[in-house]
Amino acid sequence: MNRNTQNRTDNHPPGLETRVWLRMLACCNLIEGELRTRLREEFGTTLARFDVLAQIARPPAEPTMGELSQRLKVTKGNITDVIGRLEAEKLVQRKRDANDARVQRVYLTDRGRRSVEAMIPVHNTRLAELLRGVGIEDLKELDALLGRVRAGLRDTLGS
């Protein structure tokens, strides 16, 4: 039994998991609300559209619709809807896969690449501003802790 498991069984405050979950949710909601506002005011876009563009921009290049759905943890229908709107604005383009015509890959257009390249630094700067009240060592520790939480959840959920 490791140190963390031992502490969990010996000294388990009632409602601890609920309190931690609510704090994580509150932090997420506060940050997400601010990012939504910033993206809307500065770029006239939504967080969902930004997330999709940012995912298309990162490796591996030219994701499929299914890969985007998995990366963003949303349904293929949601991705199809957002991609359709981004395509209408000439920010992305769908093309059939060269090896499998059933598969569509998504590409950023030049306009889409310029758009996401303008948004990402502003997004990252705003996140840094929002979290400036937390020291760098605490952020590193939180990063490690949340990594362990995510790994534990994946083990529990079998995903």
Side-chain angles (χ1 to χ4, degrees), residues 49-63 68 71 83 86 91-93 106-109 113 116:
R49 291 162 49 103
F50 168 78
D51 286 343
V52 170
L53 289 170
Q55 286 297 322
I56 296 168
R58 77 170 184 87
E62 300 142 10
L68 283 174
R71 286 184 196 175
I83 292 295
L86 292 171
L91 297 171
V92 301
Q93 183 178 22
V106 184
Y107 301 80
L108 288 173
T109 62
R113 185 162 311 286
V116 76

mmCIF file with all atom_site columns, all heavy atoms in Angstrom, residues 49-63 68 71 83 86 91-93 106-109 113 116:
data_model
loop_
_atom_site.group_PDB
_atom_site.id
_atom_site.type_symbol
_atom_site.label_atom_id
_atom_site.label_alt_id
_atom_site.label_comp_id
_atom_site.label_asym_id
_atom_site.label_entity_id
_atom_site.label_seq_id
_atom_site.pdbx_PDB_ins_code
_atom_site.Cartn_x
_atom_site.Cartn_y
_atom_site.Cartn_z
_atom_site.occupancy
_atom_site.B_iso_or_equiv
_atom_site.pdbx_formal_charge
_atom_site.auth_seq_id
_atom_site.auth_comp_id
_atom_site.auth_asym_id
_atom_site.auth_atom_id
_atom_site.pdbx_PDB_model_num
ATOM 1   N N   . ARG A 1 49  ? -15.183 26.537 -31.002 1.00 0.00 ? 49  ARG A N   1
ATOM 2   C CA  . ARG A 1 49  ? -14.511 26.733 -32.289 1.00 0.00 ? 49  ARG A CA  1
ATOM 3   C C   . ARG A 1 49  ? -13.002 26.848 -32.089 1.00 0.00 ? 49  ARG A C   1
ATOM 4   O O   . ARG A 1 49  ? -12.218 26.287 -32.850 1.00 0.00 ? 49  ARG A O   1
ATOM 5   C CB  . ARG A 1 49  ? -15.067 27.969 -32.981 1.00 0.00 ? 49  ARG A CB  1
ATOM 6   C CG  . ARG A 1 49  ? -16.504 27.770 -33.449 1.00 0.00 ? 49  ARG A CG  1
ATOM 7   C CD  . ARG A 1 49  ? -17.206 29.084 -33.740 1.00 0.00 ? 49  ARG A CD  1
ATOM 8   N NE  . ARG A 1 49  ? -16.435 29.967 -34.574 1.00 0.00 ? 49  ARG A NE  1
ATOM 9   C CZ  . ARG A 1 49  ? -16.658 30.176 -35.870 1.00 0.00 ? 49  ARG A CZ  1
ATOM 10  N NH1 . ARG A 1 49  ? -17.658 29.558 -36.456 1.00 0.00 ? 49  ARG A NH1 1
ATOM 11  N NH2 . ARG A 1 49  ? -15.914 30.995 -36.544 1.00 0.00 ? 49  ARG A NH2 1
ATOM 12  N N   . PHE A 1 50  ? -12.590 27.583 -31.048 1.00 0.00 ? 50  PHE A N   1
ATOM 13  C CA  . PHE A 1 50  ? -11.168 27.697 -30.751 1.00 0.00 ? 50  PHE A CA  1
ATOM 14  C C   . PHE A 1 50  ? -10.576 26.317 -30.466 1.00 0.00 ? 50  PHE A C   1
ATOM 15  O O   . PHE A 1 50  ? -9.506  25.968 -30.971 1.00 0.00 ? 50  PHE A O   1
ATOM 16  C CB  . PHE A 1 50  ? -10.929 28.627 -29.560 1.00 0.00 ? 50  PHE A CB  1
ATOM 17  C CG  . PHE A 1 50  ? -9.524  28.562 -29.039 1.00 0.00 ? 50  PHE A CG  1
ATOM 18  C CD1 . PHE A 1 50  ? -8.499  29.222 -29.701 1.00 0.00 ? 50  PHE A CD1 1
ATOM 19  C CD2 . PHE A 1 50  ? -9.218  27.820 -27.918 1.00 0.00 ? 50  PHE A CD2 1
ATOM 20  C CE1 . PHE A 1 50  ? -7.194  29.152 -29.241 1.00 0.00 ? 50  PHE A CE1 1
ATOM 21  C CE2 . PHE A 1 50  ? -7.920  27.741 -27.443 1.00 0.00 ? 50  PHE A CE2 1
ATOM 22  C CZ  . PHE A 1 50  ? -6.901  28.409 -28.110 1.00 0.00 ? 50  PHE A CZ  1
ATOM 23  N N   . ASP A 1 51  ? -11.252 25.540 -29.620 1.00 0.00 ? 51  ASP A N   1
ATOM 24  C CA  . ASP A 1 51  ? -10.752 24.210 -29.268 1.00 0.00 ? 51  ASP A CA  1
ATOM 25  C C   . ASP A 1 51  ? -10.561 23.339 -30.509 1.00 0.00 ? 51  ASP A C   1
ATOM 26  O O   . ASP A 1 51  ? -9.553  22.640 -30.638 1.00 0.00 ? 51  ASP A O   1
ATOM 27  C CB  . ASP A 1 51  ? -11.702 23.511 -28.295 1.00 0.00 ? 51  ASP A CB  1
ATOM 28  C CG  . ASP A 1 51  ? -11.638 24.073 -26.883 1.00 0.00 ? 51  ASP A CG  1
ATOM 29  O OD1 . ASP A 1 51  ? -10.654 24.769 -26.553 1.00 0.00 ? 51  ASP A OD1 1
ATOM 30  O OD2 . ASP A 1 51  ? -12.586 23.810 -26.116 1.00 0.00 ? 51  ASP A OD2 1
ATOM 31  N N   . VAL A 1 52  ? -11.523 23.372 -31.414 1.00 0.00 ? 52  VAL A N   1
ATOM 32  C CA  . VAL A 1 52  ? -11.413 22.567 -32.633 1.00 0.00 ? 52  VAL A CA  1
ATOM 33  C C   . VAL A 1 52  ? -10.247 23.052 -33.485 1.00 0.00 ? 52  VAL A C   1
ATOM 34  O O   . VAL A 1 52  ? -9.425  22.249 -33.947 1.00 0.00 ? 52  VAL A O   1
ATOM 35  C CB  . VAL A 1 52  ? -12.738 22.583 -33.430 1.00 0.00 ? 52  VAL A CB  1
ATOM 36  C CG1 . VAL A 1 52  ? -12.559 21.959 -34.809 1.00 0.00 ? 52  VAL A CG1 1
ATOM 37  C CG2 . VAL A 1 52  ? -13.825 21.854 -32.652 1.00 0.00 ? 52  VAL A CG2 1
ATOM 38  N N   . LEU A 1 53  ? -10.138 24.359 -33.703 1.00 0.00 ? 53  LEU A N   1
ATOM 39  C CA  . LEU A 1 53  ? -9.025  24.892 -34.502 1.00 0.00 ? 53  LEU A CA  1
ATOM 40  C C   . LEU A 1 53  ? -7.677  24.544 -33.869 1.00 0.00 ? 53  LEU A C   1
ATOM 41  O O   . LEU A 1 53  ? -6.735  24.159 -34.569 1.00 0.00 ? 53  LEU A O   1
ATOM 42  C CB  . LEU A 1 53  ? -9.164  26.408 -34.665 1.00 0.00 ? 53  LEU A CB  1
ATOM 43  C CG  . LEU A 1 53  ? -10.293 26.878 -35.568 1.00 0.00 ? 53  LEU A CG  1
ATOM 44  C CD1 . LEU A 1 53  ? -10.468 28.393 -35.446 1.00 0.00 ? 53  LEU A CD1 1
ATOM 45  C CD2 . LEU A 1 53  ? -10.043 26.475 -37.014 1.00 0.00 ? 53  LEU A CD2 1
ATOM 46  N N   . ALA A 1 54  ? -7.574  24.674 -32.557 1.00 0.00 ? 54  ALA A N   1
ATOM 47  C CA  . ALA A 1 54  ? -6.319  24.372 -31.864 1.00 0.00 ? 54  ALA A CA  1
ATOM 48  C C   . ALA A 1 54  ? -5.968  22.889 -31.999 1.00 0.00 ? 54  ALA A C   1
ATOM 49  O O   . ALA A 1 54  ? -4.790  22.541 -32.175 1.00 0.00 ? 54  ALA A O   1
ATOM 50  C CB  . ALA A 1 54  ? -6.412  24.780 -30.399 1.00 0.00 ? 54  ALA A CB  1
ATOM 51  N N   . GLN A 1 55  ? -6.965  22.023 -31.948 1.00 0.00 ? 55  GLN A N   1
ATOM 52  C CA  . GLN A 1 55  ? -6.707  20.592 -32.114 1.00 0.00 ? 55  GLN A CA  1
ATOM 53  C C   . GLN A 1 55  ? -6.251  20.258 -33.533 1.00 0.00 ? 55  GLN A C   1
ATOM 54  O O   . GLN A 1 55  ? -5.379  19.419 -33.731 1.00 0.00 ? 55  GLN A O   1
ATOM 55  C CB  . GLN A 1 55  ? -7.946  19.766 -31.759 1.00 0.00 ? 55  GLN A CB  1
ATOM 56  C CG  . GLN A 1 55  ? -8.221  19.685 -30.293 1.00 0.00 ? 55  GLN A CG  1
ATOM 57  C CD  . GLN A 1 55  ? -7.110  18.994 -29.527 1.00 0.00 ? 55  GLN A CD  1
ATOM 58  O OE1 . GLN A 1 55  ? -6.519  18.028 -29.980 1.00 0.00 ? 55  GLN A OE1 1
ATOM 59  N NE2 . GLN A 1 55  ? -6.806  19.521 -28.355 1.00 0.00 ? 55  GLN A NE2 1
ATOM 60  N N   . ILE A 1 56  ? -6.830  20.919 -34.512 1.00 0.00 ? 56  ILE A N   1
ATOM 61  C CA  . ILE A 1 56  ? -6.422  20.683 -35.896 1.00 0.00 ? 56  ILE A CA  1
ATOM 62  C C   . ILE A 1 56  ? -4.998  21.180 -36.112 1.00 0.00 ? 56  ILE A C   1
ATOM 63  O O   . ILE A 1 56  ? -4.225  20.578 -36.862 1.00 0.00 ? 56  ILE A O   1
ATOM 64  C CB  . ILE A 1 56  ? -7.402  21.369 -36.888 1.00 0.00 ? 56  ILE A CB  1
ATOM 65  C CG1 . ILE A 1 56  ? -8.792  20.750 -36.759 1.00 0.00 ? 56  ILE A CG1 1
ATOM 66  C CG2 . ILE A 1 56  ? -6.897  21.244 -38.326 1.00 0.00 ? 56  ILE A CG2 1
ATOM 67  C CD1 . ILE A 1 56  ? -9.881  21.538 -37.459 1.00 0.00 ? 56  ILE A CD1 1
ATOM 68  N N   . ALA A 1 57  ? -4.632  22.247 -35.425 1.00 0.00 ? 57  ALA A N   1
ATOM 69  C CA  . ALA A 1 57  ? -3.308  22.855 -35.594 1.00 0.00 ? 57  ALA A CA  1
ATOM 70  C C   . ALA A 1 57  ? -2.193  22.034 -34.953 1.00 0.00 ? 57  ALA A C   1
ATOM 71  O O   . ALA A 1 57  ? -1.037  22.164 -35.329 1.00 0.00 ? 57  ALA A O   1
ATOM 72  C CB  . ALA A 1 57  ? -3.307  24.268 -35.021 1.00 0.00 ? 57  ALA A CB  1
ATOM 73  N N   . ARG A 1 58  ? -2.520  21.191 -33.986 1.00 0.00 ? 58  ARG A N   1
ATOM 74  C CA  . ARG A 1 58  ? -1.462  20.456 -33.275 1.00 0.00 ? 58  ARG A CA  1
ATOM 75  C C   . ARG A 1 58  ? -1.239  19.083 -33.919 1.00 0.00 ? 58  ARG A C   1
ATOM 76  O O   . ARG A 1 58  ? -2.143  18.533 -34.545 1.00 0.00 ? 58  ARG A O   1
ATOM 77  C CB  . ARG A 1 58  ? -1.783  20.333 -31.795 1.00 0.00 ? 58  ARG A CB  1
ATOM 78  C CG  . ARG A 1 58  ? -2.818  19.305 -31.433 1.00 0.00 ? 58  ARG A CG  1
ATOM 79  C CD  . ARG A 1 58  ? -2.866  19.118 -29.922 1.00 0.00 ? 58  ARG A CD  1
ATOM 80  N NE  . ARG A 1 58  ? -3.760  18.081 -29.528 1.00 0.00 ? 58  ARG A NE  1
ATOM 81  C CZ  . ARG A 1 58  ? -3.443  16.790 -29.441 1.00 0.00 ? 58  ARG A CZ  1
ATOM 82  N NH1 . ARG A 1 58  ? -2.249  16.368 -29.761 1.00 0.00 ? 58  ARG A NH1 1
ATOM 83  N NH2 . ARG A 1 58  ? -4.328  15.907 -29.045 1.00 0.00 ? 58  ARG A NH2 1
ATOM 84  N N   . PRO A 1 59  ? -0.048  18.540 -33.722 1.00 0.00 ? 59  PRO A N   1
ATOM 85  C CA  . PRO A 1 59  ? 0.226   17.200 -34.260 1.00 0.00 ? 59  PRO A CA  1
ATOM 86  C C   . PRO A 1 59  ? -0.607  16.145 -33.536 1.00 0.00 ? 59  PRO A C   1
ATOM 87  O O   . PRO A 1 59  ? -0.964  16.353 -32.369 1.00 0.00 ? 59  PRO A O   1
ATOM 88  C CB  . PRO A 1 59  ? 1.714   16.987 -33.969 1.00 0.00 ? 59  PRO A CB  1
ATOM 89  C CG  . PRO A 1 59  ? 2.257   18.342 -33.656 1.00 0.00 ? 59  PRO A CG  1
ATOM 90  C CD  . PRO A 1 59  ? 1.123   19.173 -33.142 1.00 0.00 ? 59  PRO A CD  1
ATOM 91  N N   . PRO A 1 60  ? -0.907  15.036 -34.157 1.00 0.00 ? 60  PRO A N   1
ATOM 92  C CA  . PRO A 1 60  ? -0.590  14.725 -35.540 1.00 0.00 ? 60  PRO A CA  1
ATOM 93  C C   . PRO A 1 60  ? -1.456  15.525 -36.507 1.00 0.00 ? 60  PRO A C   1
ATOM 94  O O   . PRO A 1 60  ? -2.625  15.798 -36.231 1.00 0.00 ? 60  PRO A O   1
ATOM 95  C CB  . PRO A 1 60  ? -0.861  13.233 -35.659 1.00 0.00 ? 60  PRO A CB  1
ATOM 96  C CG  . PRO A 1 60  ? -1.788  12.899 -34.538 1.00 0.00 ? 60  PRO A CG  1
ATOM 97  C CD  . PRO A 1 60  ? -1.558  13.912 -33.463 1.00 0.00 ? 60  PRO A CD  1
ATOM 98  N N   . ALA A 1 61  ? -0.851  15.873 -37.602 1.00 0.00 ? 61  ALA A N   1
ATOM 99  C CA  . ALA A 1 61  ? -1.488  16.737 -38.601 1.00 0.00 ? 61  ALA A CA  1
ATOM 100 C C   . ALA A 1 61  ? -2.676  16.041 -39.259 1.00 0.00 ? 61  ALA A C   1
ATOM 101 O O   . ALA A 1 61  ? -2.763  14.821 -39.291 1.00 0.00 ? 61  ALA A O   1
ATOM 102 C CB  . ALA A 1 61  ? -0.463  17.129 -39.660 1.00 0.00 ? 61  ALA A CB  1
ATOM 103 N N   . GLU A 1 62  ? -3.556  16.864 -39.771 1.00 0.00 ? 62  GLU A N   1
ATOM 104 C CA  . GLU A 1 62  ? -4.700  16.416 -40.576 1.00 0.00 ? 62  GLU A CA  1
ATOM 105 C C   . GLU A 1 62  ? -5.524  15.323 -39.889 1.00 0.00 ? 62  GLU A C   1
ATOM 106 O O   . GLU A 1 62  ? -5.674  14.221 -40.396 1.00 0.00 ? 62  GLU A O   1
ATOM 107 C CB  . GLU A 1 62  ? -4.211  15.939 -41.944 1.00 0.00 ? 62  GLU A CB  1
ATOM 108 C CG  . GLU A 1 62  ? -3.498  17.022 -42.705 1.00 0.00 ? 62  GLU A CG  1
ATOM 109 C CD  . GLU A 1 62  ? -2.295  16.480 -43.495 1.00 0.00 ? 62  GLU A CD  1
ATOM 110 O OE1 . GLU A 1 62  ? -2.125  15.261 -43.594 1.00 0.00 ? 62  GLU A OE1 1
ATOM 111 O OE2 . GLU A 1 62  ? -1.540  17.313 -44.007 1.00 0.00 ? 62  GLU A OE2 1
ATOM 112 N N   . PRO A 1 63  ? -6.065  15.636 -38.704 1.00 0.00 ? 63  PRO A N   1
ATOM 113 C CA  . PRO A 1 63  ? -6.848  14.616 -37.992 1.00 0.00 ? 63  PRO A CA  1
ATOM 114 C C   . PRO A 1 63  ? -8.113  14.252 -38.751 1.00 0.00 ? 63  PRO A C   1
ATOM 115 O O   . PRO A 1 63  ? -8.630  15.038 -39.555 1.00 0.00 ? 63  PRO A O   1
ATOM 116 C CB  . PRO A 1 63  ? -7.191  15.312 -36.670 1.00 0.00 ? 63  PRO A CB  1
ATOM 117 C CG  . PRO A 1 63  ? -7.178  16.767 -37.004 1.00 0.00 ? 63  PRO A CG  1
ATOM 118 C CD  . PRO A 1 63  ? -6.103  16.930 -38.040 1.00 0.00 ? 63  PRO A CD  1
ATOM 119 N N   . LEU A 1 68  ? -10.733 13.956 -33.994 1.00 0.00 ? 68  LEU A N   1
ATOM 120 C CA  . LEU A 1 68  ? -11.117 15.215 -33.338 1.00 0.00 ? 68  LEU A CA  1
ATOM 121 C C   . LEU A 1 68  ? -12.161 14.961 -32.254 1.00 0.00 ? 68  LEU A C   1
ATOM 122 O O   . LEU A 1 68  ? -12.076 15.511 -31.158 1.00 0.00 ? 68  LEU A O   1
ATOM 123 C CB  . LEU A 1 68  ? -11.669 16.214 -34.360 1.00 0.00 ? 68  LEU A CB  1
ATOM 124 C CG  . LEU A 1 68  ? -10.662 16.921 -35.237 1.00 0.00 ? 68  LEU A CG  1
ATOM 125 C CD1 . LEU A 1 68  ? -11.364 17.758 -36.299 1.00 0.00 ? 68  LEU A CD1 1
ATOM 126 C CD2 . LEU A 1 68  ? -9.742  17.792 -34.402 1.00 0.00 ? 68  LEU A CD2 1
ATOM 127 N N   . ARG A 1 71  ? -10.303 13.428 -29.284 1.00 0.00 ? 71  ARG A N   1
ATOM 128 C CA  . ARG A 1 71  ? -9.438  14.397 -28.605 1.00 0.00 ? 71  ARG A CA  1
ATOM 129 C C   . ARG A 1 71  ? -10.238 15.364 -27.747 1.00 0.00 ? 71  ARG A C   1
ATOM 130 O O   . ARG A 1 71  ? -9.824  15.741 -26.655 1.00 0.00 ? 71  ARG A O   1
ATOM 131 C CB  . ARG A 1 71  ? -8.640  15.219 -29.625 1.00 0.00 ? 71  ARG A CB  1
ATOM 132 C CG  . ARG A 1 71  ? -7.521  14.512 -30.304 1.00 0.00 ? 71  ARG A CG  1
ATOM 133 C CD  . ARG A 1 71  ? -6.802  15.501 -31.195 1.00 0.00 ? 71  ARG A CD  1
ATOM 134 N NE  . ARG A 1 71  ? -5.942  14.867 -32.166 1.00 0.00 ? 71  ARG A NE  1
ATOM 135 C CZ  . ARG A 1 71  ? -5.287  15.536 -33.098 1.00 0.00 ? 71  ARG A CZ  1
ATOM 136 N NH1 . ARG A 1 71  ? -5.396  16.859 -33.192 1.00 0.00 ? 71  ARG A NH1 1
ATOM 137 N NH2 . ARG A 1 71  ? -4.507  14.901 -33.944 1.00 0.00 ? 71  ARG A NH2 1
ATOM 138 N N   . ILE A 1 83  ? -17.287 21.823 -37.471 1.00 0.00 ? 83  ILE A N   1
ATOM 139 C CA  . ILE A 1 83  ? -16.468 21.807 -38.688 1.00 0.00 ? 83  ILE A CA  1
ATOM 140 C C   . ILE A 1 83  ? -17.249 22.410 -39.856 1.00 0.00 ? 83  ILE A C   1
ATOM 141 O O   . ILE A 1 83  ? -16.698 23.166 -40.664 1.00 0.00 ? 83  ILE A O   1
ATOM 142 C CB  . ILE A 1 83  ? -15.992 20.375 -39.028 1.00 0.00 ? 83  ILE A CB  1
ATOM 143 C CG1 . ILE A 1 83  ? -14.987 19.888 -37.987 1.00 0.00 ? 83  ILE A CG1 1
ATOM 144 C CG2 . ILE A 1 83  ? -15.399 20.300 -40.428 1.00 0.00 ? 83  ILE A CG2 1
ATOM 145 C CD1 . ILE A 1 83  ? -13.687 20.645 -37.926 1.00 0.00 ? 83  ILE A CD1 1
ATOM 146 N N   . LEU A 1 86  ? -17.036 26.132 -39.461 1.00 0.00 ? 86  LEU A N   1
ATOM 147 C CA  . LEU A 1 86  ? -15.672 26.603 -39.742 1.00 0.00 ? 86  LEU A CA  1
ATOM 148 C C   . LEU A 1 86  ? -15.361 26.505 -41.236 1.00 0.00 ? 86  LEU A C   1
ATOM 149 O O   . LEU A 1 86  ? -14.672 27.362 -41.791 1.00 0.00 ? 86  LEU A O   1
ATOM 150 C CB  . LEU A 1 86  ? -14.648 25.799 -38.935 1.00 0.00 ? 86  LEU A CB  1
ATOM 151 C CG  . LEU A 1 86  ? -14.677 26.002 -37.425 1.00 0.00 ? 86  LEU A CG  1
ATOM 152 C CD1 . LEU A 1 86  ? -13.772 24.991 -36.735 1.00 0.00 ? 86  LEU A CD1 1
ATOM 153 C CD2 . LEU A 1 86  ? -14.279 27.429 -37.053 1.00 0.00 ? 86  LEU A CD2 1
ATOM 154 N N   . LEU A 1 91  ? -12.195 28.536 -42.820 1.00 0.00 ? 91  LEU A N   1
ATOM 155 C CA  . LEU A 1 91  ? -11.119 28.359 -41.842 1.00 0.00 ? 91  LEU A CA  1
ATOM 156 C C   . LEU A 1 91  ? -10.546 26.950 -41.879 1.00 0.00 ? 91  LEU A C   1
ATOM 157 O O   . LEU A 1 91  ? -9.390  26.733 -41.516 1.00 0.00 ? 91  LEU A O   1
ATOM 158 C CB  . LEU A 1 91  ? -11.621 28.686 -40.434 1.00 0.00 ? 91  LEU A CB  1
ATOM 159 C CG  . LEU A 1 91  ? -12.059 30.139 -40.219 1.00 0.00 ? 91  LEU A CG  1
ATOM 160 C CD1 . LEU A 1 91  ? -12.746 30.304 -38.876 1.00 0.00 ? 91  LEU A CD1 1
ATOM 161 C CD2 . LEU A 1 91  ? -10.870 31.074 -40.336 1.00 0.00 ? 91  LEU A CD2 1
ATOM 162 N N   . VAL A 1 92  ? -11.383 25.986 -42.288 1.00 0.00 ? 92  VAL A N   1
ATOM 163 C CA  . VAL A 1 92  ? -10.936 24.603 -42.429 1.00 0.00 ? 92  VAL A CA  1
ATOM 164 C C   . VAL A 1 92  ? -11.463 24.041 -43.736 1.00 0.00 ? 92  VAL A C   1
ATOM 165 O O   . VAL A 1 92  ? -12.371 24.612 -44.355 1.00 0.00 ? 92  VAL A O   1
ATOM 166 C CB  . VAL A 1 92  ? -11.401 23.699 -41.257 1.00 0.00 ? 92  VAL A CB  1
ATOM 167 C CG1 . VAL A 1 92  ? -10.898 24.211 -39.926 1.00 0.00 ? 92  VAL A CG1 1
ATOM 168 C CG2 . VAL A 1 92  ? -12.904 23.524 -41.247 1.00 0.00 ? 92  VAL A CG2 1
ATOM 169 N N   . GLN A 1 93  ? -10.888 22.903 -44.089 1.00 0.00 ? 93  GLN A N   1
ATOM 170 C CA  . GLN A 1 93  ? -11.337 22.191 -45.284 1.00 0.00 ? 93  GLN A CA  1
ATOM 171 C C   . GLN A 1 93  ? -11.313 20.705 -44.976 1.00 0.00 ? 93  GLN A C   1
ATOM 172 O O   . GLN A 1 93  ? -10.382 20.214 -44.318 1.00 0.00 ? 93  GLN A O   1
ATOM 173 C CB  . GLN A 1 93  ? -10.401 22.502 -46.453 1.00 0.00 ? 93  GLN A CB  1
ATOM 174 C CG  . GLN A 1 93  ? -10.810 21.881 -47.744 1.00 0.00 ? 93  GLN A CG  1
ATOM 175 C CD  . GLN A 1 93  ? -9.866  22.279 -48.874 1.00 0.00 ? 93  GLN A CD  1
ATOM 176 O OE1 . GLN A 1 93  ? -8.729  22.669 -48.635 1.00 0.00 ? 93  GLN A OE1 1
ATOM 177 N NE2 . GLN A 1 93  ? -10.335 22.159 -50.099 1.00 0.00 ? 93  GLN A NE2 1
ATOM 178 N N   . VAL A 1 106 ? -9.314  16.688 -41.749 1.00 0.00 ? 106 VAL A N   1
ATOM 179 C CA  . VAL A 1 106 ? -9.591  18.112 -41.632 1.00 0.00 ? 106 VAL A CA  1
ATOM 180 C C   . VAL A 1 106 ? -8.276  18.875 -41.672 1.00 0.00 ? 106 VAL A C   1
ATOM 181 O O   . VAL A 1 106 ? -7.320  18.524 -40.972 1.00 0.00 ? 106 VAL A O   1
ATOM 182 C CB  . VAL A 1 106 ? -10.347 18.422 -40.317 1.00 0.00 ? 106 VAL A CB  1
ATOM 183 C CG1 . VAL A 1 106 ? -10.721 19.889 -40.255 1.00 0.00 ? 106 VAL A CG1 1
ATOM 184 C CG2 . VAL A 1 106 ? -11.587 17.539 -40.193 1.00 0.00 ? 106 VAL A CG2 1
ATOM 185 N N   . TYR A 1 107 ? -8.238  19.894 -42.494 1.00 0.00 ? 107 TYR A N   1
ATOM 186 C CA  . TYR A 1 107 ? -7.060  20.726 -42.692 1.00 0.00 ? 107 TYR A CA  1
ATOM 187 C C   . TYR A 1 107 ? -7.397  22.173 -42.358 1.00 0.00 ? 107 TYR A C   1
ATOM 188 O O   . TYR A 1 107 ? -8.507  22.632 -42.636 1.00 0.00 ? 107 TYR A O   1
ATOM 189 C CB  . TYR A 1 107 ? -6.624  20.688 -44.171 1.00 0.00 ? 107 TYR A CB  1
ATOM 190 C CG  . TYR A 1 107 ? -6.301  19.324 -44.686 1.00 0.00 ? 107 TYR A CG  1
ATOM 191 C CD1 . TYR A 1 107 ? -7.312  18.439 -45.073 1.00 0.00 ? 107 TYR A CD1 1
ATOM 192 C CD2 . TYR A 1 107 ? -4.983  18.910 -44.804 1.00 0.00 ? 107 TYR A CD2 1
ATOM 193 C CE1 . TYR A 1 107 ? -7.011  17.185 -45.559 1.00 0.00 ? 107 TYR A CE1 1
ATOM 194 C CE2 . TYR A 1 107 ? -4.671  17.647 -45.302 1.00 0.00 ? 107 TYR A CE2 1
ATOM 195 C CZ  . TYR A 1 107 ? -5.696  16.793 -45.673 1.00 0.00 ? 107 TYR A CZ  1
ATOM 196 O OH  . TYR A 1 107 ? -5.396  15.543 -46.153 1.00 0.00 ? 107 TYR A OH  1
ATOM 197 N N   . LEU A 1 108 ? -6.447  22.890 -41.820 1.00 0.00 ? 108 LEU A N   1
ATOM 198 C CA  . LEU A 1 108 ? -6.606  24.331 -41.680 1.00 0.00 ? 108 LEU A CA  1
ATOM 199 C C   . LEU A 1 108 ? -6.320  24.981 -43.023 1.00 0.00 ? 108 LEU A C   1
ATOM 200 O O   . LEU A 1 108 ? -5.366  24.614 -43.699 1.00 0.00 ? 108 LEU A O   1
ATOM 201 C CB  . LEU A 1 108 ? -5.615  24.893 -40.649 1.00 0.00 ? 108 LEU A CB  1
ATOM 202 C CG  . LEU A 1 108 ? -5.873  24.585 -39.187 1.00 0.00 ? 108 LEU A CG  1
ATOM 203 C CD1 . LEU A 1 108 ? -4.699  25.067 -38.344 1.00 0.00 ? 108 LEU A CD1 1
ATOM 204 C CD2 . LEU A 1 108 ? -7.157  25.207 -38.708 1.00 0.00 ? 108 LEU A CD2 1
ATOM 205 N N   . THR A 1 109 ? -7.132  25.945 -43.398 1.00 0.00 ? 109 THR A N   1
ATOM 206 C CA  . THR A 1 109 ? -6.806  26.769 -44.556 1.00 0.00 ? 109 THR A CA  1
ATOM 207 C C   . THR A 1 109 ? -5.767  27.799 -44.101 1.00 0.00 ? 109 THR A C   1
ATOM 208 O O   . THR A 1 109 ? -5.475  27.920 -42.906 1.00 0.00 ? 109 THR A O   1
ATOM 209 C CB  . THR A 1 109 ? -8.058  27.500 -45.074 1.00 0.00 ? 109 THR A CB  1
ATOM 210 O OG1 . THR A 1 109 ? -8.517  28.372 -44.028 1.00 0.00 ? 109 THR A OG1 1
ATOM 211 C CG2 . THR A 1 109 ? -9.160  26.524 -45.478 1.00 0.00 ? 109 THR A CG2 1
ATOM 212 N N   . ARG A 1 113 ? -5.231  28.940 -40.296 1.00 0.00 ? 113 ARG A N   1
ATOM 213 C CA  . ARG A 1 113 ? -3.942  28.888 -39.608 1.00 0.00 ? 113 ARG A CA  1
ATOM 214 C C   . ARG A 1 113 ? -3.596  30.250 -39.023 1.00 0.00 ? 113 ARG A C   1
ATOM 215 O O   . ARG A 1 113 ? -3.171  30.353 -37.872 1.00 0.00 ? 113 ARG A O   1
ATOM 216 C CB  . ARG A 1 113 ? -2.837  28.427 -40.568 1.00 0.00 ? 113 ARG A CB  1
ATOM 217 C CG  . ARG A 1 113 ? -1.496  28.247 -39.868 1.00 0.00 ? 113 ARG A CG  1
ATOM 218 C CD  . ARG A 1 113 ? -0.509  27.417 -40.640 1.00 0.00 ? 113 ARG A CD  1
ATOM 219 N NE  . ARG A 1 113 ? -1.014  26.157 -41.139 1.00 0.00 ? 113 ARG A NE  1
ATOM 220 C CZ  . ARG A 1 113 ? -1.256  25.066 -40.409 1.00 0.00 ? 113 ARG A CZ  1
ATOM 221 N NH1 . ARG A 1 113 ? -1.054  25.105 -39.116 1.00 0.00 ? 113 ARG A NH1 1
ATOM 222 N NH2 . ARG A 1 113 ? -1.703  23.965 -40.959 1.00 0.00 ? 113 ARG A NH2 1
ATOM 223 N N   . VAL A 1 116 ? -5.890  30.811 -35.867 1.00 0.00 ? 116 VAL A N   1
ATOM 224 C CA  . VAL A 1 116 ? -5.510  30.070 -34.667 1.00 0.00 ? 116 VAL A CA  1
ATOM 225 C C   . VAL A 1 116 ? -4.153  30.524 -34.147 1.00 0.00 ? 116 VAL A C   1
ATOM 226 O O   . VAL A 1 116 ? -3.933  30.579 -32.934 1.00 0.00 ? 116 VAL A O   1
ATOM 227 C CB  . VAL A 1 116 ? -5.583  28.543 -34.892 1.00 0.00 ? 116 VAL A CB  1
ATOM 228 C CG1 . VAL A 1 116 ? -4.425  28.012 -35.700 1.00 0.00 ? 116 VAL A CG1 1
ATOM 229 C CG2 . VAL A 1 116 ? -5.700  27.804 -33.572 1.00 0.00 ? 116 VAL A CG2 1
#
